[in-house]
Amino acid sequence: MVTLKEIAQHCGVSVTTVSNIVNNSPKKVRDETRKKVMEAIEELGYHPNYFAQGLRRQRTQTIGVITEDLAQFTTPEIVEGIMKYCEEKKYRVLLQNLRLYSRWQDKWYNDETLIHSVLDPAMKELVSIKADGLIYIAGHEREIHLFEEKKDMPLVLAYCCSDESITSVEIDDEEGGYQMVSYILAQGYRKLGVISGRADNIHAKRRLLGCQRALFEAGIPYNPSWVLDANWEPEKAYTMTAKLVNAGVDAIFCMSDWMAGGVYNCIHDMGLEVGKDIAVTGFDNEKIANWYIPKMTSSRLPLLEVGTESARLLFEKIEKQSLAITPIVLKQNTPARKTANKQTGTQKKVVAPVAVREVKVAKEPTVSTETKAKEQASHSVATTTDAPKQNVQPAAAKPVVAAPKRPYHIIIASVGTEKDAEAMAAQLVAKGFSGAKAIVGDGKMRVSIESCGTEVEAYQALARIRENETYKNAWVLKK
């Protein structure tokens, strides 16, 4: 390997001069000398020893990226966002693919021993080369607990979160579900069926929460019997579609474009036409959605932005040598295609701003301050089948008042008279739901159970309530 000393001897200059040229030092060097040294570098084949440079500078100009599985459709675009940002910063990326789905399908979700069997060797390699920081990309949204004792390296979680101890970048699935269902309702549909993923999946839970909020705001009762789980599989979605169509729904919100293939096939096999007899929308805006006939309305996941924002936060930590916590939530963008329009053959647009909600947690874990973006960003909307997609840049965050700690409550709709509502509230109080009370909204009686805790706690309470058929019209709502 050619050294700086050999370059210096070849050019008849000092090693310091060669070093200053190689490292773009601000110290002045004559143009003639610089040209001679650069020609010698090219001729002799000199390559800088980045590792040695890193040791001297206490920086290796390298970050690690660990993916749970590159085969997951969400992962490549996140990686692209990270790589592009790092390229602009002249940083190298060491990519480690754990292949969790390929190795163990869905058996590893709650088995940290399995995960650590492949994660720990990857972490040791990053530590051995003294990577300046790490981005961990999850295959699906969830809370993870894999890095409690690994705080010595700047770390950002992408497409997942922690228990508020690690900086993370997530997607606002609730807002995405809300925007999509609001769009469907704006087209005049009122009998909405939902094909969900898995009941225990955070993506499905949050999208359903947004769906419920849109229905509530429109004054349309939520029908839990019209929400069917298909385990993210087109084959099961096919079966569930027949049940929803026979139940009389006029629109179906499918929580993934992949499952929507089963929805389309079932509607076709039943002798019906998508976009004319029944509306269908998807989610994720995968390329496959462009090939359905007719083309399908879907919601774009800001995956590139997740990668870019994750890299930006990591570099911020590296520059400040900070381990501070900054969870970020990015919202989806909902393009419109004609399958959700009430009038066949027309096309309408829904503009869903891509924004950022930022939460900064102070050093004491009991104190937090939430910030939320209010500035709109540029957005991409598919108005015709040939319209090109545009990149969406997240808006800058502005500070606002901290969010309430217990924002979830439960609503029970269509409870009859005021007397019936008061009686139901009293029964729920007797069962331990102390926040239950009768309320009137839009001239309709409802029972509200306030302050049900976290999202998980609220759904647990909902499951207990729905054990009684009397409360089948109950749903979780976020204030």
Side-chain angles (χ1 to χ4, degrees):
M1 179 181 290
V2 179
T3 65
L4 290 180
K5 185 176 181 180
E6 291 171 331
I7 296 290
Q9 290 174 345
H10 182 84
C11 297
V13 298
S14 68
V15 174
T16 301
T17 298
V18 175
S19 177
N20 288 338
I21 293 172
V22 169
N23 294 300
N24 293 315
S25 171
K27 294 181 180 180
K28 291 185 179 180
V29 178
R30 288 190 305 170
D31 291 342
E32 182 182 345
T33 302
R34 183 181 299 276
K35 181 180 178 182
K36 182 189 294 186
V37 169
M38 295 305 295
E39 288 176 350
I41 287 173
E42 180 70 22
E43 179 185 342
L44 300 178
Y46 170 76
H47 298 285
N49 187 330
Y50 292 112
F51 186 72
Q53 289 178 353
L55 291 176
R56 289 194 297 271
R57 299 171 183 169
Q58 299 299 306
R59 296 268 182 88
T60 60
Q61 299 290 108
T62 301
I63 70 161
V65 173
I66 296 179
T67 69
E68 290 186 341
D69 205 313
L70 272 171
Q72 283 296 100
F73 82 94
T74 53
T75 303
E77 199 169 349
I78 296 175
V79 172
E80 171 61 22
I82 295 170
M83 299 285 283
K84 184 175 184 296
Y85 193 93
C86 289
E87 185 178 294
E88 293 170 355
K89 293 288 186 179
K90 301 190 184 304
Y91 255 67
R92 292 169 299 282
V93 175
L94 178 60
L95 180 64
Q96 298 269 19
N97 182 23
L98 302 184
R99 300 179 55 251
L100 298 182
Y101 292 88
S102 302
R103 295 175 194 269
W104 301 301
Q105 289 73 51
D106 60 356
K107 306 282 191 305
W108 58 271
Y109 289 172
N110 299 309
D111 192 336
E112 291 190 7
T113 302
L114 276 182
I115 300 174
H116 278 292
S117 70
V118 288
L119 173 61
D120 290 350
M123 286 295 301
K124 287 178 180 178
E125 182 173 350
L126 294 177
V127 171
S128 71
I129 67 167
K130 299 188 181 299
D132 295 335
L134 167 65
I135 299 175
Y136 184 87
I137 305 174
H140 67 279
E141 181 74 47
R142 68 189 191 283
E143 186 174 299
I144 66 172
H145 306 277
L146 301 172
F147 300 97
E148 282 83 352
E149 299 178 359
K150 297 179 176 64
K151 300 291 184 64
D152 54 335
M153 178 187 295
L155 169 66
V156 173
L157 303 178
Y159 208 53
C160 60
C161 61
S162 71
D163 56 356
E164 295 191 343
S165 62
I166 301 174
T167 292
S168 61
V169 182
E170 302 176 69
I171 284 175
D172 194 341
D173 277 300
E174 180 185 338
E175 183 64 19
Y178 172 79
Q179 290 178 357
M180 182 59 75
V181 174
S182 295
Y183 174 71
I184 294 170
L185 299 178
Q187 309 309 308
Y189 298 100
R190 289 297 179 268
K191 298 177 180 179
L192 178 68
V194 178
I195 294 184
S196 181
R198 292 170 49 143
D200 61 347
N201 181 272
I202 290 181
H203 294 293
K205 285 182 179 180
R206 291 177 178 171
R207 291 171 194 177
L208 183 59
L209 195 63
C211 167
Q212 292 168 336
R213 178 157 60 95
L215 290 170
F216 178 75
E217 291 182 2
I220 299 173
Y222 168 69
N223 188 342
S225 65
W226 287 357
V227 179
L228 304 178
D229 294 335
N231 199 35
W232 307 109
E233 299 173 11
E235 297 80 7
K236 291 185 178 179
Y238 182 102
T239 302
M240 299 306 162
T241 300
K243 293 180 180 180
L244 291 176
V245 173
N246 290 330
V249 304
D250 59 5
I252 295 177
F253 168 34
C254 192
M255 289 196 184
S256 84
D257 295 341
W258 179 241
M259 290 194 297
V263 177
Y264 266 58
N265 285 350
C266 179
I267 291 173
H268 176 269
D269 291 348
M270 295 179 76
L272 302 174
E273 186 177 337
V274 172
K276 182 177 180 182
D277 300 306
I278 188 167
V280 178
T281 68
F283 209 90
D284 301 334
N285 204 32
E286 290 192 73
K287 290 181 180 179
I288 192 174
N290 291 313
W291 296 99
Y292 292 149
I293 300 175
K295 293 189 176 183
M296 184 179 65
T297 299
S298 189
S299 180
R300 187 185 74 86
L301 302 179
L303 300 171
L304 190 72
E305 292 90 332
V306 169
T308 301
E309 188 66 12
S310 299
R312 186 192 69 78
L313 288 169
L314 184 65
F315 275 88
E316 189 176 274
K317 286 176 172 291
I318 292 171
E319 292 300 323
K320 296 178 180 178
Q321 283 300 301
S322 167
L323 300 178
I325 306 152
T326 312
I328 297 287
V329 180
L330 299 180
K331 294 184 179 180
Q332 287 92 344
N333 183 244
T334 306
R337 301 187 186 92
K338 63 184 179 181
T339 57
N341 291 339
K342 195 68 174 177
Q343 297 179 347
T344 306
T346 63
Q347 292 190 337
K348 300 181 182 179
K349 296 190 292 184
V350 168
V351 176
V354 174
V356 180
R357 177 167 61 84
E358 180 177 353
V359 183
K360 292 185 178 179
V361 182
K363 292 182 180 179
E364 294 81 4
T366 57
V367 181
S368 66
T369 303
E370 181 177 294
T371 64
K372 185 174 183 179
K374 290 186 177 179
E375 295 182 0
Q376 289 190 348
S378 59
H379 32 68
S380 63
V381 179
T383 56
T384 67
T385 57
D386 298 323
K389 296 179 182 177
Q390 302 174 359
N391 289 335
V392 182
Q393 298 300 324
K398 291 184 177 181
V400 296
V401 180
K405 293 182 179 179
R406 303 173 70 84
Y408 293 90
H409 64 288
I410 294 174
I411 292 289
I412 304 173
S414 305
V415 297
T417 66
E418 182 176 355
K419 186 176 180 180
D420 294 332
E422 290 175 349
M424 183 179 291
Q427 292 171 1
L428 290 166
V429 169
K431 291 178 178 293
F433 297 98
S434 57
K437 62 181 180 180
I439 59 173
V440 180
D442 303 324
K444 300 176 183 178
M445 291 306 305
R446 300 183 177 93
V447 172
S448 172
I449 304 174
E450 302 289 336
S451 300
C452 294
T454 65
E455 180 180 357
V456 173
E457 290 169 342
Y459 274 101
Q460 289 173 342
L462 181 66
R464 295 200 306 273
I465 289 171
R466 284 187 180 170
E467 289 175 356
N468 188 325
E469 280 294 315
T470 307
Y471 311 128
K472 65 180 181 180
N473 286 329
W475 74 89
V476 171
L477 196 67
K478 184 178 181 181
K479 287 187 176 180

